[in-house]
Structure formats: C-alpha cells, structure tokens
Amino acid sequence: MSIAQINSNAADPILQIRSLKQYFPLGKKGGQRLFVKAVDDVSLDIGRGEILGLVGESGSGKSTLAYSVVGLYRPSAGQILFEGEKIGARRPLPLRKDIQIVFQDPGSSLNPRQTIGEILELPLKVHFPALKSGERQKRVRELLQMVELPAAYAWKTPGAIGSGEKQMAAIARALAPGPKFIILDEPTSALDVSIQAKIINMLLRLRREHNLTYLFITHDLSLMRNIATRVIILYLGRVAEIAGTEDFFRRPTHPYTQMLLSSIPVLGAEDEALKPARILSQGEIPSPVNLPTGCSFHQRCHAVLDRCPGDDPSLRQIGAEHWVRCHRQ
Amino acid sequence: MTESTPALLQIEGLKLWYKVYKNRAKVLDGVDLSVAPGQKVGLVGEAGCGKTTTVKSVLGLLPRGGCEIPAGRILYEGEDILGLTEKELTRIRNSQIAMIHQEPAAALNPVFTVGEQMMDVVRYSAQGRGYGKKERREIVLGAIRDVLIPDPERIFHFYPNQLSGGMKQRICIAMAVMTERRLLIADEPGTALDVTIQSQIHAMLEEMVAQRGMALVMITHSLGVAREMTDVINIMYAGTIVESAVSAEVFAHPLHPYTQGLMEAVPRLRGGGIQAGIYGSLPDYLAPPPGCRFAPRCPRAGDRCRAEKPALADLSGHRVACFHVGTDGSAKCQ
C-alpha cells in the first residue's frame, strides 16, 4: 500500500502532502552529487480543524517540512495541495493569506526596530490594501485583544516586553491576514512552562473561535498527548510512525518512538507507568548527508533485526489511523 | 536530611545585587541552600530566577566590579568563600568544585583541540601539578574513555566544532570529573540537547557522580529532570528559595503556591489537558515587590504577603516560605 493513502478517510483534508522531497545540494564529491535529504518522501493529509503534532529531534526535517508548506522552499519533488488545489512556492496573495506560520524564537522573528503596532499593521497593508489607516489601527487593537495583550503594547518594541508576550505578538501577526491554517514551529519550546501553559490555552481558544487548523511542530510528546488529534514521528526526513493521539500513546510501536517516550522526564509514578522501560540512546543521530543503508534508525535501534541494515522498511498500517515504518510490524 | 551531617556547601541568606547604571538589580534576595557530602541537590526554577547567579557566586565567577553582596555567607567546609582572595578561591576551584555549563559549545574553546584544553585542566588542578606530560595525557585519554566516547586517541586531536552537541557535553563532563573534586555543579547540562541525548547525558552524569562519591548541585528548569536526578529539591523563585524538601516529598505534597502552579503547568503523559499556568511574569529586579516576591502573581496573596517577606520555615524537614502554610504542614487556604 502506498503512503499516499494515509488518512484518505479524512473527510475534509485541508492540506495534502504527496511524496514531498526537499533535498539541498552540497556540491560534488568524487564525481558524485551530494544532497542533504532533509525531507525524504513524506506524504500526509491534515484534516480541517485538526491539531497535528509533528515530533522529531533536531535534524529530523520538521522545520524544513513546515517551510515547504508555507512556500519558503521550492520542493525538489512531490506535491502540496491546499483545499484540493496544487500549490507551488510562488503563490497568489489570497493563498498566502490562508497559510501562516509562527516561528520558534520570537526574539528573532520580530523586527526589534518596529513597534508591535507596526509589526501587526504590515500584513494588514499587504492583504487588505483597501483598509484606511484608522481601520487598520482598530484591527491592530482587536488582534492584541485576541492574544490577550493590552492595547498599549502597540507602541512598545519587542525589546521592551517579555519573551512570552513577544510570542503572543507573533501569534497575533499570524492571525492578522485571517488564515485557515497555521504552522506552529515549536512556539513554546523557548519559554517557561508557566508561560507555555498560557499560550497553549490561548491557541486552543483561538482555534475554536476561528476554525483554525494547526500543524504543531514540537519535540515535546507530553504536550502533544494533551492537545494533538494525531501525532507524527519524523526521523531523518521520513515518517517513522503516525497515529491518532489515543492510539499513539496506548500502543507506541516504532522502536524510535519508544526510545523518545522512555526519555521523557515525568513528574510522578502515574506518568512513569505510561512510559516504556528506559531505553538509552545508543550512539548519535546520523548525518542526513550520509544516511545509513537500510532502515535509517538501525544503528540506534534496541530491537534491530538481521535484515534492518540492508532492507529499508516501508510504512505499514497496523490500525485504523496507525502506520509504522518498521520490519517488526 | 539530618542537620547533624556537616554541610559541604552552605549558603546562608545570600543577597546579590547587579550594578545597573545608577541603580541596583536586586537579583538574589536571601538564598539558603545546603549540600551535604555526596548529596544530589536540585535547584529548580524558571528562566531569570537566579539559579545560575547563585552557583556562579559560589565559584566567584561573577564580575567583581559588576555586583555587590550586601548580606549572606557562602560556607565551603565551614570556610566563608566570600572573604577569600582570588588566589585562595583558585585553590578551591582547582581542587574542590567543578562546574558543567549549559551550552557545551560555548564552554569549550574553539581554537584549541579537545586534548589540549583537557590537558590544561589536569595541569592546573591541584592534583595534576606533579604529573609529567605523559601522565597527564594518560589521564585525559582515560577520562574520554570513561564518558563512552570511542577512539579517544582520535578525539584528542579534534577541535570542538568537529563534535556533535552530545559529544561536546560528554567532553565537558569528562573535564569536570577527571581530577578529584568533591562537588560538581551542573547548570542545565542537557537543556541544549535532544531528549534522547539528554537522557543519555543525565544517566552518565549520575553514574560519574556516584562512582566518585561527589556531591551534585543540579540546576534545571524541569521538575521532571530534578525528580529523576536529585535527593533534595530547592524550588527557586525571583532570587529566593521558596520551598525545599526531599524530592519525593516535594512531588507528593507541594506546599508553596508557586511550586503548585509550576507542577500544574507541566503537561502530563496521562493527558488531562493543560492547566492555566501562572498569571503574570517575574518581577522587575530593579524595583522588586517589598514583601513576598511571588505575591503579585499569587492567587492567595493577602496584605501581609505584600508587606512582609516570609521566611523559609521548617515543617519537620519540609521547608517553605509562605504565610499561608500552617505549622502542621497543611496549606490553610487551599
């Protein structure tokens, strides 16, 4: 079965990714052209209203996948469909309005020399050129209210406010064009947990109020347990496991998923019981330039089989919404 | 923790102010912390609460002209470190206390090979003075082997940028424990790394500390990490220790409103949604609240909290700084 069939049962997919490849050329070595295979043949559907948790370690290709979806990269191969229509890297304005992104570090994604008001006005100028200045100001105040910031913050610069507040301003900027789909690229991983809780609750409220769909990129599985509808594990540019959240945490199947889960420091015995027995990571995450032969995880795998180093497994379905790339299944 | 064991490190009422133009950022506001020999002590709090400032003041790593210490003592084996000269402090740094920093890439010097900088550590340690170059080299190679890095001879000649983040942090651990020390301070050693690598690094750190019988001060913002790695947990908020107890006790009966809020904000594997978190943000250290520093964010704060600073009161071993916690250890206003 091809991976393109994943979630073909999703009644109303808002975004469909089909065999997406994102390779970055590194020049030649010994007559051979080298590539970083950041995203390697990823297919998935995101249903309208979903919160899809995209989880992986650094170098797994999570951000690259996100940038391809917003159109910052031209895909090396494969297709991205938004509401059934194929979209490329160059997009008409209305389409850009629909897909927005919030970056990980608000300190570097907001211009330090502009006020929050100016930062929020720019997308309004681009997407709603007919708005008069007064109407724009009013809209800026509404946006600040939506993210629970005081109206006076419109005159502050990013340097004058806390990092949690900066991230709220960045979320307001993403909301400014009135998007349908927002990519959240580790929006809370640079923040303290008490602030994270506040921002997550705000994101959940905004999703309800504005019928948003989120692709939530993170390395925090505990967080996904609480908010995602489905979870995808990405390893070296490929999908290792994908499942509905309940099923994912009841039956974590890929050895890499099990390793990730077992590495989470938890607060009590109840959570401890939900983790697989401790699996210590062996060795290092391989370089995406020199991918291992066969299954790309076999060098770190605690359940490796004889065939794993030579034979690359394909994604197999093991449940209604549950797919795993492993020979043991 | 029994009071009868003499502490290896004892911080008492430490206040520390950073000089900011004509003003003072009053960061530490009476920190009390005690580490017994061989004990693993956690210092837990959110960004900017003064965790790193506290341990850096122990090692005398803060700029001498840039800060002042208006009150408090730091006793190492009964001797007040604050009164020492730079030379006497160096003696403690090179024979007693080692530190692992949060960012391994910044802790290693990029223009020297791993081996060169590790050799220097041995050379300037109290213990390594008598060794020749060959012996120092043997110690370094052994230390690299101890942190499970294959082929130490090859790694010896590597520059830090040729190593991954996890490898660099393992080198930093090797450097900290390769000569005899009694206390290891680890400042968020796994935070810059991926979870699988973080758990590898933590396991290694635990093993090294246990093997050598060292005491450990583990700084972390993660309650989960503190639970896994430490015997005693100190919860820090805005320059004060607000709660201190044996780890299991803190998780079973968190007493301070800040600790409770922090625990509720952590997403659980069992699910149950995300709680509200803690309202507001850290106070401005230039003009901190006069009473309890948590009062402006505290759901239980009353007039007394806003006027008067609660002391760290001992409730049969579980210490907490809050007016709302009764002497029997129960929280009155829960």
Side-chain angles (χ1 to χ4, degrees):
Chain A
M1 219 185 289
S2 91
I3 19 179
Q5 279 167 278
I6 296 180
N7 314 310
S8 49
N9 55 345
D12 182 15
I14 187 165
L15 189 88
Q16 293 158 288
I17 297 172
R18 293 281 169 270
S19 308
L20 184 76
K21 291 183 181 174
Q22 196 72 65
Y23 293 178
F24 298 102
L26 281 178
K28 283 183 186 175
K29 196 179 177 186
Q32 219 183 348
R33 292 183 71 180
L34 291 180
F35 292 96
V36 177
K37 297 181 176 179
V39 174
D40 197 8
D41 202 6
V42 168
S43 296
L44 60 99
D45 280 10
I46 303 176
R48 201 177 292 274
E50 251 198 300
I51 300 179
L52 183 60
L54 180 58
V55 181
E57 292 179 288
S58 44
S60 63
K62 346 184 256 303
S63 292
T64 305
L65 184 67
Y67 295 168
S68 307
V69 173
V70 279
L72 290 173
Y73 296 138
R74 181 192 301 275
S76 311
Q79 287 186 342
I80 301 170
L81 292 93
F82 186 74
E83 297 189 315
E85 290 196 37
K86 196 186 159 202
I87 54 175
R90 294 186 64 184
R91 296 171 187 179
L93 262 182
L95 197 56
R96 278 189 245 166
K97 186 166 140 310
D98 288 341
I99 304 177
Q100 291 291 317
I101 184 165
V102 176
F103 295 97
Q104 174 172 4
D105 178 12
S108 56
S109 71
L110 301 175
N111 185 341
R113 299 189 55 171
Q114 288 186 323
T115 62
I116 301 297
E118 287 166 336
I119 289 169
L120 296 180
E121 262 191 81
L122 183 62
L124 297 174
K125 283 180 186 164
V126 171
H127 293 288
F128 308 102
L131 279 186
K132 299 211 168 54
S133 171
E135 295 168 319
R136 272 205 307 272
Q137 303 295 336
K138 184 166 165 272
R139 184 80 188 118
V140 166
R141 281 195 297 276
E142 286 169 8
L143 285 166
L144 286 172
Q145 205 178 3
M146 275 162 76
V147 296
E148 297 159 29
L149 288 178
Y153 274 47
W155 289 279
K156 296 198 179 199
T157 54
I161 64 179
S163 54
E165 293 166 333
K166 271 185 266 196
Q167 194 60 294
M168 292 180 198
I171 292 167
R173 177 175 62 184
L175 291 169
K180 295 173 180 164
F181 180 80
I182 300 183
I183 294 172
L184 302 159
D185 188 359
E186 307 226 29
T188 58
S189 54
L191 307 174
D192 283 319
V193 280
S194 63
I195 299 167
Q196 162 172 290
K198 194 176 173 196
I199 291 189
I200 294 296
N201 282 312
M202 193 183 80
L203 286 168
L204 294 176
R205 175 178 58 76
L206 290 167
R207 165 171 163 265
R208 273 197 310 275
E209 290 173 0
H210 302 275
N211 298 318
L212 297 168
T213 304
Y214 292 151
L215 175 60
F216 200 120
I217 298 176
T218 180
H219 57 260
D220 187 345
L221 277 169
S222 314
L223 180 59
M224 288 304 104
R225 172 71 187 86
N226 288 282
I227 64 167
T229 50
R230 274 190 304 152
V231 180
I232 298 188
I233 301 288
L234 213 57
Y235 186 73
L236 289 171
R238 314 187 82 178
V239 176
E241 184 161 1
I242 175 168
T245 305
E246 284 292 323
D247 200 21
F248 181 92
F249 286 94
R250 198 172 47 238
R251 207 160 48 118
T253 304
H254 196 285
Y256 177 59
T257 309
Q258 292 169 356
M259 186 201 273
L260 278 178
L261 274 170
S262 83
S263 310
I264 301 176
V266 296
L267 294 199
E270 199 184 339
D271 275 8
E272 206 73 66
L274 296 169
K275 283 168 38 173
R278 194 168 194 184
I279 303 160
L280 269 190
S281 165
Q282 321 184 344
E284 305 274 327
I285 304 166
S287 140
V289 184
N290 275 317
L291 285 179
T293 56
C295 172
S296 54
F297 186 63
H298 79 262
Q299 292 159 330
R300 298 176 72 198
C301 185
H302 60 276
V304 67
L305 301 171
D306 287 345
R307 60 191 290 210
C308 297
D311 187 3
D312 193 8
S314 56
L315 266 181
R316 292 188 184 92
Q317 189 166 20
I318 62 162
E321 278 189 316
H322 201 151
W323 299 69
V324 180
R325 185 191 298 279
C326 179
H327 284 309
R328 285 192 173 265
Q329 294 310 314
Chain B
M1 189 178 60
T2 49
E3 291 297 325
S4 55
T5 41
L8 181 64
L9 177 72
Q10 177 94 35
I11 302 178
E12 291 172 357
L14 183 69
K15 293 193 179 196
L16 187 141
W17 299 348
Y18 286 110
K19 295 176 185 171
V20 185
Y21 187 48
K22 282 180 179 169
N23 221 324
R24 297 286 180 274
K26 297 172 179 171
V27 175
L28 299 188
D29 190 39
V31 172
D32 296 304
L33 186 77
S34 166
V35 184
Q39 196 179 32
K40 293 182 282 181
V41 174
L43 190 54
V44 183
E46 296 181 289
C49 74
K51 310 182 289 287
T52 303
T53 295
T54 303
V55 295
K56 281 195 169 173
S57 65
V58 171
L59 282 170
L61 294 178
L62 296 169
R64 289 217 164 178
C67 59
E68 56 190 73
I69 297 176
R73 300 197 297 170
I74 301 174
L75 303 172
Y76 184 82
E77 293 192 302
E79 183 182 23
D80 193 348
I81 288 183
L82 294 174
L84 298 183
T85 62
E86 188 63 28
K87 201 174 166 190
E88 290 166 320
L89 204 52
T90 303
R91 173 178 54 81
I92 287 188
R93 290 192 199 118
N94 70 18
S95 65
Q96 300 292 327
I97 309 177
M99 182 161 173
I100 298 169
H101 296 269
Q102 174 166 2
E103 187 63 66
L108 296 171
N109 191 328
V111 299
F112 292 100
T113 63
V114 166
E116 282 166 347
Q117 39 197 312
M118 290 183 82
M119 295 269 281
D120 277 352
V121 173
V122 183
R123 184 171 173 192
Y124 292 104
S125 72
Q127 176 199 4
R129 288 263 160 76
Y131 294 143
K133 202 172 174 185
K134 215 172 158 189
E135 288 162 301
R136 290 206 299 270
R137 194 184 152 90
E138 281 312 309
I139 291 175
V140 168
L141 291 175
I144 300 177
R145 208 171 292 119
D146 280 350
V147 291
L148 306 180
I149 294 177
D151 204 355
E153 294 275 356
R154 201 165 65 94
I155 298 294
F156 190 91
H157 297 289
F158 272 25
Y159 287 91
N161 72 318
Q162 294 171 282
L163 303 173
S164 68
M167 290 262 250
K168 274 183 236 174
Q169 196 58 295
R170 276 189 270 174
I171 292 291
C172 289
I173 292 177
M175 268 175 155
V177 301
M178 71 184 170
T179 58
E180 265 171 48
R181 303 291 162 104
R182 299 190 61 199
L183 175 63
L184 176 63
I185 297 171
D187 187 359
E188 308 237 17
T191 305
L193 309 167
D194 280 312
V195 273
T196 56
I197 306 296
Q198 174 180 315
S199 95
Q200 200 182 50
I201 290 291
H202 287 164
M204 174 162 292
L205 199 57
E206 272 186 302
E207 194 191 316
M208 293 285 153
V209 169
Q211 265 177 14
R212 290 162 175 75
M214 295 168 94
L216 173 71
V217 174
M218 177 84 183
I219 297 185
T220 176
H221 65 271
S222 160
L223 284 163
V225 168
R227 177 176 164 272
E228 282 184 355
M229 296 203 48
T230 62
D231 310 322
V232 172
I233 288 184
N234 296 276
I235 308 280
M236 195 164 184
Y237 179 77
T240 50
I241 304 290
V242 294
E243 184 159 3
S244 168
V246 173
S247 300
E249 170 68 15
V250 171
F251 286 97
H253 308 288
L255 292 180
H256 198 280
Y258 176 66
T259 315
Q260 292 169 352
L262 202 58
M263 281 192 192
E264 278 171 14
V266 176
R268 306 297 174 106
L269 260 188
R270 63 166 184 267
I274 304 285
Q275 304 302 311
I278 304 171
Y279 167 82
S281 49
L282 274 177
D284 180 358
Y285 285 122
L286 292 174
C292 172
R293 285 189 164 188
F294 187 58
R297 301 176 73 183
C298 183
R300 291 188 221 160
D303 290 341
R304 190 179 176 200
C305 305
R306 282 183 274 270
E308 199 184 323
K309 183 181 154 71
L312 200 54
D314 197 326
L315 311 166
S316 49
H318 191 148
R319 300 193 304 157
V320 59
C322 178
F323 291 128
H324 293 285
V325 179
T327 43
D328 57 346
S330 65
K332 264 190 277 182
C333 311
Q334 237 170 343

